[in-house]
Amino acid sequence: MGNIREALTTSFKKRNLPVLLSVFVLALTCLLHNIAQAAASDALTKEGFATYVASLKTEAVNKGMDLDKLDEAFATITFRPTVVKSDKNQPEKKITLDDYLATRVPDWKVKQAVAKYDEHSTLLEKIAKEYGVQARFIVALWGNESNFGKIQGNYSVLSALASLAYEGRREKLFKDNFFAALQILNEGHTSLDALQGSWAGAMGQTQFMPISFLNYAVDYDGDGKKDIWGTEADVFASIANYLSSEGWNSKGTWGRQVKLSGAVPFSGLAKANMKPLSFWKQNGVTRFDGSALPNVDINASLIMPDGEDGRIYLVYDNFHTLMKWNRSSYFGISVGYLSERIKRGY
């Protein structure tokens, strides 16, 4: 009996040797990767950061920035390993769109959004008309990004961006934003103490990265400062200017939730997959209540963020503009959904 068991074990090992080797190689690769990551983290020192920051200052001087302002700004920059850790450890847990909407657009936030819309309706409608962006979308983005200005982040933008650039994986991105942040200070839009934001360097009630600030922020009240931290007129106009600059159409909306009555030929946000509503109608797509899609000459993308068993949407060009603001379809849908609730009054 023992000989039979030994023979079977030997046979099993021979047949599965390639699989065992593959598993071993994969485990070894993961181990070496973790060792390399740990070594890279250990290599990030305060001394190395100081040397790196000194090179940033030299580069800023060569760009012609005011030396006195640079001395003041660079004296405040410290290494923030926590932002590097946050960048490396983005949450991997997959949540559903329903979970996301429940946390991003709860009823209490909808109530606040409607109240904020009513409170600032005169200013919002004025800006909406000037920029061609419906006011409800301005408020929806404001609410989603910073809870109407209440959550802006308390990290030093300069320290966060310098730390992330020093870490090196996306050095150019964070370095370019670092110099943009210095330019914001150089132009006097905010004070050094007030230049705070998220761990990734997103700033103010709009949560603009510094480069986006330079491209889209607006001094709407004409005081010489583009104040996205504390001046709501500037906040609203900056949001509207971003959307308008990126192709927003005030005569259209963002999309609609739909149902499928059969298989569709394709889906996704690729421009090649945008088809007229008549095409989707012919392929069995209906309104969410089961009625026919409207007879409107407009192109739409069919998206299924959670697959065919989850929520399904037809989204229009304005949704593609929202995706330039944030590449998450979950985020875009949450903004659209909140805008619809604002339109309904709750």
Side-chain angles (χ1 to χ4, degrees), residues 13 25 39 69 125 140 143 159 171 196 199 235 248 265 269 285 297 311 334:
K13 289 181 178 179
V25 170
K69 289 184 178 180
E125 293 301 337
S159 292
E171 181 182 15
Q196 295 188 336
W199 63 262
V235 171
W248 191 267
L269 287 170
V285 181
D297 184 18
R311 293 174 180 245
S334 72

Side-chain angles (χ1 to χ4, degrees), residues 239-315:
I239 292 172
N241 186 46
Y242 183 105
L243 294 178
S244 178
S245 299
E246 293 297 337
W248 191 267
N249 177 9
S250 63
K251 295 180 180 179
T253 186
W254 69 282
R256 66 172 69 241
Q257 191 174 358
V258 296
K259 283 185 176 179
L260 306 181
S261 60
V264 289
F266 44 73
S267 63
L269 287 170
K271 283 291 186 179
N273 291 343
M274 287 195 80
K275 298 295 180 183
L277 286 186
S278 58
F279 171 87
W280 297 116
K281 189 175 181 179
Q282 291 166 7
N283 281 275
V285 181
T286 69
R287 298 176 194 252
F288 186 65
D289 64 6
S291 61
L293 293 173
N295 293 318
V296 181
D297 184 18
I298 184 173
N299 288 342
S301 303
L302 184 77
I303 62 170
M304 298 182 281
D306 292 335
E308 293 187 13
D309 294 330
R311 293 174 180 245
I312 301 171
Y313 293 86
L314 282 175
V315 294

Side-chain angles (χ1 to χ4, degrees), residues 131-288:
Y131 286 91
V133 177
Q134 301 96 312
R136 60 190 173 101
F137 288 99
I138 297 173
V139 175
L141 275 166
W142 183 34
N144 267 279
E145 283 293 6
S146 65
N147 193 19
F148 315 105
K150 296 176 184 174
I151 303 174
Q152 300 185 36
N154 56 8
Y155 287 89
S156 159
V157 168
L158 290 177
S159 292
L161 291 172
S163 298
L164 291 166
Y166 170 57
E167 188 271 333
R169 287 179 304 131
R170 292 183 288 169
E171 181 182 15
K172 186 179 188 311
L173 170 67
F174 293 117
K175 187 176 176 181
D176 288 349
N177 275 286
F178 176 83
F179 288 122
L182 288 177
Q183 185 176 336
I184 291 167
L185 284 175
N186 205 50
E187 293 177 0
H189 296 295
T190 191
S191 67
L192 182 59
D193 290 341
L195 190 65
Q196 295 188 336
S198 73
W199 63 262
M203 311 177 304
Q205 299 188 37
T206 60
Q207 288 294 280
F208 279 172
M209 292 296 287
I211 288 175
S212 291
F213 178 100
L214 295 179
N215 289 332
Y216 304 108
V218 174
D219 172 22
Y220 193 78
D221 67 352
D223 69 349
K225 298 180 180 180
K226 300 174 181 179
D227 181 15
I228 62 170
W229 293 269
T231 303
E232 285 160 345
D234 291 0
V235 171
F236 301 158
S238 297
I239 292 172
N241 186 46
Y242 183 105
L243 294 178
S244 178
S245 299
E246 293 297 337
W248 191 267
N249 177 9
S250 63
K251 295 180 180 179
T253 186
W254 69 282
R256 66 172 69 241
Q257 191 174 358
V258 296
K259 283 185 176 179
L260 306 181
S261 60
V264 289
F266 44 73
S267 63
L269 287 170
K271 283 291 186 179
N273 291 343
M274 287 195 80
K275 298 295 180 183
L277 286 186
S278 58
F279 171 87
W280 297 116
K281 189 175 181 179
Q282 291 166 7
N283 281 275
V285 181
T286 69
R287 298 176 194 252
F288 186 65

Side-chain angles (χ1 to χ4, degrees), residues 51-61 74 162 165 175 178-179:
T51 301
Y52 184 79
V53 169
S55 71
L56 291 178
K57 186 174 183 180
T58 299
E59 194 169 340
V61 171
F74 275 81
K175 187 176 176 181
F178 176 83
F179 288 122

Side-chain angles (χ1 to χ4, degrees), residues 242 246-247 319-327:
Y242 183 105
E246 293 297 337
F319 186 83
H320 286 266
T321 298
L322 288 175
M323 293 295 289
K324 295 176 184 178
W325 181 291
N326 186 315
R327 295 303 303 172

Side-chain angles (χ1 to χ4, degrees), residues 32-45:
L32 292 175
H33 174 75
N34 291 336
I35 291 172
Q37 287 286 88
S41 297
D42 291 342
L44 301 177
T45 63

